[in-house]
Amino acid sequence: MDLYSPIFTRASTRKFDAKPLPADTLKDLEAYIASVKPLVPDVKLTHKIVGGSEVKGMALPKAPHFLLISGGPSAAGKEHPLRNTAAGFLYQHAELWLYANGCATRWLGGAKGKAADPNHIIGIAFGKPSEPAARKPEDFKRKPLNEIAKGADSRLEAVRLAPSGMNGQPWYFIVDAGKIHVYYKASLGGLAGKLYNLTSLDVGIALCHLDVASEHEGKPFNFAVIRSGTPAPPQGFTYVGTAE
Ligand SMILES: Cc1cc2nc3c(=O)[nH]c(=O)nc-3n(C[C@H](O)[C@H](O)[C@H](O)COP(=O)(O)O)c2cc1C
C-alpha cells in the first residue's frame, strides 16, 4: 500500500457521502491499524469505529464513520508522556491508508463518544468524500521548511505537509549526523493556545509522515528518547525524541 503519495495530495474534508463504507473496507482498516509498528512499545492505544449517532461535539461534520481514539494508563497506572504523540503517529497512518483507499477524513479535536470514556483522546471523521478531497502539493498552506527545520533531509518535505490542529504546525526538526531530533511547542500560545491543547498529538502526526517517507526512501525509522547530548531546542520548544 502506497501511503507516501497521499501525503502530497490529501486534504481534510467536511463533506462526506452519507453512505457507509463496505464492511470489508472497515475490516481492512482494522487489520491495517493492527499491523502498524507503534512509535513506542509501552503506550496502550485503543479505538472504536462508530456511526455519527454515537458521537458528540461542536460543529462536527456529518460523516458515516468516526474513529474514537483512547489511550489507557500505563502499567504504572499513569498517563505515558508520549501517549498523545503515539496516538498521532498510529492514527495518521490510518488517515493516510484511508486516502490511499479513496476515502477522506478530518481529525476532530472536539469529537467524543456519547458514552463517557475517561481515556478518550480524539476523534477522526471518515468516509467517501462527496466532492474531491485532494489538492496539488503547492496548494498546501504550510510554513516554509526553513521555519520548521535546521539542516537538510529529503524526507522533511513530507513532514512539512503533515496536518495539525488549527494548522498550528507546532514542530521543529534538527538534522545532525544522520539523526533527526524532534521538538514541539507545548502550546500554540494566544487564543489558539486556549482553544487547542493537542500539540503533543500533532508532532506524532509529523513523525508518521517521517516514518512513511523513510520507508519510501528505503531508510530506517527508529524513534528513541535520548536523554542527553541532543541539540538545545529553539526557544519555546521542548524535545520529544530522535529518529535515526
Ligand atoms: C489533531 C487535529 C485536530 C483537529 N481538530 C479539528 C477540529 O476540531 N475541527 C476541524 O474542523 N478541523 C480540525 N482539524 C483539521 C485541521 O484544521 C487541518 O488538518 C489543518 O487545517 C490542515 O489542513 P489539511 O488537513 O487539509 O491539510 C484537526 C486536525 C488535527 C491534526
Side-chain angles (χ1 to χ4, degrees):
M1 176 69 52
D2 169 26
L3 299 188
Y4 184 69
S5 306
I7 287 178
F8 299 90
T9 55
R10 58 160 291 290
S12 297
T13 192
R14 303 187 68 84
K15 296 188 173 152
F16 294 94
D17 187 337
K19 197 165 152 227
L21 296 172
D24 275 357
T25 306
L26 298 181
K27 217 170 102 197
D28 291 348
L29 172 63
E30 292 282 14
Y32 172 69
I33 293 172
S35 77
V36 178
K37 185 178 169 222
L39 182 68
V40 280
D42 45 350
V43 175
K44 248 197 294 169
L45 295 168
T46 57
H47 65 264
K48 277 193 296 196
I49 295 176
V50 300
S53 64
E54 290 174 65
V55 180
K56 63 179 182 182
M58 290 261 285
L60 298 183
K62 284 199 170 65
H65 307 289
F66 289 80
L67 260 168
L68 293 175
I69 299 161
S70 305
S74 70
K78 280 196 292 196
E79 184 180 312
H80 192 290
L82 286 173
R83 181 192 78 155
N84 291 351
T85 307
F89 180 83
L90 174 58
Y91 291 98
Q92 182 61 14
H93 281 84
E95 210 247 22
L96 294 175
W97 186 95
L98 283 160
Y99 281 99
N101 283 280
C103 300
T105 74
R106 182 170 285 268
W107 283 91
L108 291 164
K112 50 173 96 162
K114 284 188 180 160
D117 172 5
N119 298 318
H120 173 77
I121 303 174
I122 194 165
I124 300 179
F126 69 97
K128 287 273 181 202
S130 60
E131 51 189 62
R135 66 192 141 179
K136 297 197 187 96
E138 58 269 28
D139 293 334
F140 280 69
K141 291 191 175 64
R142 296 293 190 269
K143 294 176 186 172
L145 213 43
N146 64 7
E147 278 183 31
I148 61 154
K150 189 169 140 201
D153 187 293
S154 52
R155 294 168 290 177
L156 287 177
E157 180 58 12
V159 175
R160 188 181 77 85
L161 298 180
S164 51
M166 306 189 86
N167 205 19
Q169 306 159 69
W171 41 61
Y172 197 82
F173 305 89
I174 299 179
V175 184
D176 183 35
K179 296 181 175 153
I180 302 181
H181 304 287
V182 182
Y183 305 83
Y184 88 114
K185 249 192 222 168
S187 167
L188 294 177
L191 180 62
K194 291 202 173 79
L195 295 172
Y196 182 73
N197 66 358
L198 286 169
T199 55
S200 55
L201 189 144
D202 292 325
V203 74
I205 293 177
L207 281 164
C208 163
H209 283 208
L210 182 59
D211 179 32
V212 171
S214 300
E215 188 173 344
H216 177 77
E217 294 192 13
K219 292 178 177 162
F221 175 86
N222 293 302
F223 178 82
V225 181
I226 302 170
R227 300 267 167 225
S228 63
T230 52
Q235 199 181 359
F237 286 80
T238 304
Y239 174 72
V240 179
T242 298
E244 58 178 311

